[in-house]
Amino acid sequence: MAKTIRWIFRIIFLVGFLGLLAGFGGYMWLRTSLPQINGTMTLAGLSDEVEVIRDRHGIPHIYAKTDADAFFALGVVHAQDRLWQMELSRRTAAGRLSEVIGAETLGADTFLRTMGFAKAAAAGARSLDEQTRADLEAYAQGVNAFLANRKGALPPEFLVRSAGELELWSILDSLGWLKMMSYDLGGASGARELDRFALSQIVSHSAMMEFWPPYPGAQPLEIPDIPEFYGLEPNTGSTSDEQASAMLPSDELNWLHPAGVLFEGIGSNNWVLSGEHTVSGKPIVANDPHLGLQTPQIWYYAHLVSDEGLDVMGATFPGVPFVVLGRTDKVAWGFTNTGPDVQDYYIEKIAADEPRSYVTPTGIEPFKTRVEEIKVKGGETVRIKVRETRHGPVMSDVLSSVGRYLGEEFVLALRWTALDETDTTANAASKLNRAQSADEFLAASASFVSPQQNMVYADVEGNIGYVAPGRIPVRGEGNLTRGFVPAPGWEAAYDWQGYLSFEDLPQTHNPASGIVVTANEDVTHANLTDYPHFITAEWSLPYRGDRIRSLLAETAKHTLESVAAIQTD
């Protein structure tokens, strides 16, 4: 008996020891997925040696002979540190989440494929200038060189999701993520149009408008009653709670509203002070961008220097080679969201007896169609047919609540600046990373398309300024819906009349006050005088901007410490 017990204990000990050994082996294997932060890496594709020094915060400082090698090295460190984040980013933009997550993201993929982010990114690639394309390609080569040289385990998220073999990175992956950020920062106006469209089915027109009161000091918009305007079934005021909740289901809200729109307290700010208001006599730029929290965070700080003159430091997006917020050795800048109305939904009328066509001001036109195949992990491939009108993708095909209300007679299509075939935003980013003066910064910003941003800037010569670049639609006087509710797509009066010129966008340079503050409020009144053009009717409330201006006025001469204290107020 004693001998049997001894053998049992030996077996238990052996199993335990083997378990510990396997656990330790697994731990050591997973550790091979961690970034290499010391020693030397040999990677094909570099023209010369590159030095990467990580400071005490882990931020990489990259020193290269050429700009291309610097962007190549940024691709390497991004991939080392944020590979799963980059993989999710490109899958999101391409509508390919279901390949690694499963049927639970099929609705999101269907929405993203219908919106056409990947299609828009491919079209935008044709607008790249030579330098920007070289930057993007060098970055992609860096990511791919890391993947080719990688030894050991992938990050644990890949194992959990069984993501399979990694595909090579391409410039379209970077451009696709820029499109997603355009939606995150500039897609709220269209979502609110659909909120109002859904609410018009539940309450009266006057009650619906009370949910969106006018900006302080502005007059209420005169907007037509939606059911009456389109001859839809009028609201009877007897909608049940169950019917009301079905108007816009919660899962559709998740796809439709950009990150942060559904949460209180989201709002960014920035300001620039001339040397007149600082102890040093030099300008100070302060920037506090608020994006939705995620893990890891959306920003990645880096410093890139090359012997060809590149010297830029600040916040990058993993998956994109450019510093978005930061400084060169001569110019500093910060962004906040302007929040323009750059999305319009159009109600399109189906042609009588021609269900594959719709009505335009000049006659009947067929829908453009394309078939998208969505692979689903653990399931069958799903094929969807995407329809497009002259305004853009038909979104009612994927928003069931809207589709039910429109019935068989109408569909709802989206017009959005970020889906235009020409997009030079990446060109602007490349130029901003090389700006050597306030004038060069301003010239570079002229290529910015989407999302419109409040940009404050200063240079080492003491110049300061503000500009809100981006493609802003011009709506004609006959447009009664004003971009506030969906417009009739068959009437020419509701088509966009073009875009504001760069010269007509909000901007000021070396203002007499020596101060520019933005906090998503109405910048056309806060910082400018008698601005004549329409940007949006839905600015964020001005209390944050007012508070910043009040705090700045309490101190005659500011330091970095005093402006940092204001950011924590």
Side-chain angles (χ1 to χ4, degrees):
M1 184 69 176
K3 186 175 181 180
T4 302
I5 292 175
R6 283 198 301 271
W7 271 106
I8 290 173
F9 275 109
R10 287 173 184 171
I11 292 170
I12 292 173
F13 174 79
L14 181 61
V15 170
F17 176 75
L18 291 175
L20 287 174
L21 190 63
F24 179 75
Y27 169 76
M28 295 304 295
W29 170 248
L30 287 176
R31 281 190 61 84
T32 63
S33 70
L34 295 176
Q36 178 182 338
I37 59 175
N38 294 300
T40 300
M41 298 176 69
T42 302
L43 300 173
L46 288 171
S47 67
D48 210 322
E49 289 185 356
V50 176
E51 186 175 26
V52 180
I53 301 173
R54 293 183 184 252
D55 62 23
R56 63 191 179 92
H57 301 293
I59 296 171
H61 299 256
I62 297 168
Y63 299 90
K65 297 291 192 299
T66 67
D67 291 1
D69 282 357
F71 287 118
F72 181 104
L74 182 64
V76 173
V77 296
H78 273 177
Q80 276 192 308
D81 294 357
R82 302 286 190 90
L83 190 59
W84 176 249
Q85 183 182 31
M86 292 169 65
E87 179 68 7
L88 274 190
S89 296
R90 70 167 163 183
R91 285 187 175 278
T92 300
R96 296 178 56 197
L97 291 169
S98 299
E99 292 180 17
V100 296
I101 296 177
E104 62 193 274
T105 54
L106 180 58
D109 279 348
T110 302
F111 177 84
L112 294 163
R113 295 285 188 100
T114 301
M115 185 77 79
F117 291 104
K119 176 173 172 283
R126 297 192 289 269
S127 299
L128 296 176
D129 61 34
E130 185 176 345
Q131 182 64 70
T132 306
R133 183 174 291 277
D135 296 343
L136 288 162
E137 287 180 345
Y139 176 84
Q141 288 170 10
V143 175
N144 294 331
F146 167 76
L147 296 177
N149 190 67
R150 179 187 57 81
K151 297 178 178 65
L154 285 167
E157 298 93 336
F158 285 91
L159 303 179
V160 172
R161 284 296 180 183
S162 301
E165 192 65 27
L166 273 170
E167 299 172 8
L168 294 178
W169 194 265
S170 78
I171 64 173
L172 294 184
D173 295 324
S174 296
L175 295 176
W177 189 237
L178 287 178
K179 291 292 183 185
M180 284 304 303
M181 292 311 302
S182 289
Y183 186 67
D184 188 25
L185 297 172
S189 61
R192 286 191 292 264
E193 277 191 44
L194 293 192
D195 289 342
R196 287 185 278 271
F197 188 84
L199 197 58
S200 73
Q201 307 167 52
I202 304 170
V203 301
S204 68
H205 177 69
S206 60
M208 184 270 289
M209 291 298 290
E210 288 182 10
F211 282 84
W212 288 273
Y215 190 79
Q219 293 299 312
L221 289 177
E222 295 291 335
I223 302 298
D225 182 304
I226 295 175
E228 180 180 303
F229 190 62
Y230 289 107
L232 300 171
E233 184 177 345
N235 168 62
T236 62
S238 61
T239 306
S240 68
D241 289 345
E242 184 177 348
Q243 289 171 318
S245 65
M247 295 300 184
L248 201 57
S250 59
D251 57 346
E252 290 188 2
L253 281 170
N254 292 334
W255 316 325
L256 183 59
H257 287 79
V261 171
L262 300 178
F263 301 96
E264 294 182 3
I266 294 295
S268 52
N269 59 72
N270 63 15
W271 63 89
V272 60
L273 307 176
S274 71
E276 174 189 354
H277 299 284
T278 68
V279 171
S280 67
K282 293 291 186 180
I284 294 178
V285 171
N287 192 196
D288 187 11
H290 294 190
L291 298 180
L293 287 177
Q294 62 182 53
T295 302
Q297 65 162 315
I298 198 167
W299 300 111
Y300 182 104
Y301 298 97
H303 181 200
L304 287 74
V305 181
S306 87
D307 291 351
E308 293 183 337
L310 184 70
D311 189 346
V312 62
M313 175 190 293
T316 69
F317 291 133
V320 180
F322 307 113
V323 169
V324 180
L325 310 171
R327 65 161 180 84
T328 66
D329 55 335
K330 296 292 193 299
V331 184
W333 67 88
F335 291 2
T336 69
N337 207 28
T338 312
D341 189 351
V342 294
Q343 288 188 335
D344 276 359
Y345 275 96
Y346 284 90
I347 293 181
E348 310 279 18
K349 187 182 296 184
I350 303 294
D353 301 322
E354 293 187 50
R356 297 181 181 178
S357 301
Y358 65 101
V359 180
T360 78
T362 57
I364 305 301
E365 287 189 18
F367 289 101
K368 293 181 180 177
T369 62
R370 68 179 190 274
V371 175
E372 297 275 354
E373 293 189 352
I374 305 174
K375 296 178 181 178
V376 181
K377 180 181 176 183
E380 296 183 358
T381 297
V382 175
R383 291 172 176 81
I384 63 170
K385 183 169 75 171
V386 178
R387 295 186 290 177
E388 292 184 8
T389 74
R390 64 195 184 95
H391 293 116
V394 174
M395 300 307 297
S396 52
D397 285 348
V398 290
L399 298 172
S400 59
S401 56
V402 175
R404 286 197 301 271
Y405 187 47
L406 291 169
E408 299 297 324
E409 187 179 355
F410 302 102
V411 296
L412 198 70
L414 174 65
R415 179 82 169 93
W416 180 27
T417 55
L419 297 182
D420 287 356
E421 289 193 356
T422 57
D423 186 349
T424 53
T425 301
N427 295 345
S430 176
K431 291 181 173 68
L432 292 179
N433 278 219
R434 295 175 168 88
Q436 293 296 293
S437 67
D439 287 343
E440 286 190 14
F441 179 91
L442 188 62
S445 71
S447 301
F448 206 88
V449 171
S450 179
Q452 186 184 35
Q453 296 291 288
N454 297 315
M455 300 183 182
V456 295
Y457 59 89
D459 68 14
V460 295
E461 299 301 322
N463 298 297
I464 71 167
Y466 159 81
V467 63
R471 198 168 281 172
I472 306 301
V474 175
R475 298 173 179 87
E477 292 184 4
N479 187 333
L480 302 179
T481 57
R482 304 285 296 278
F484 204 69
V485 295
W490 58 90
E491 294 190 16
Y494 293 87
D495 289 342
W496 290 355
Q497 309 298 304
Y499 301 108
L500 291 180
S501 68
F502 179 73
E503 291 71 25
D504 285 334
L505 294 170
Q507 52 191 294
T508 182
H509 315 290
N510 288 323
S513 66
I515 299 175
V516 180
V517 174
T518 86
N520 315 119
E521 79 276 34
D522 182 355
V523 291
T524 65
H525 288 88
N527 297 299
L528 308 172
T529 303
D530 299 326
Y531 185 77
H533 304 291
F534 177 81
I535 302 294
T536 183
E538 297 185 272
W539 305 100
S540 293
L541 292 175
Y543 63 91
R544 289 181 288 112
D546 291 344
R547 176 63 173 166
I548 294 167
R549 281 180 280 271
S550 174
L551 291 172
L552 287 172
E554 291 179 3
T555 303
K557 301 284 186 178
H558 284 276
T559 63
L560 295 179
E561 289 73 22
S562 69
V563 297
I566 293 173
Q567 287 182 328
T568 64
D569 178 77

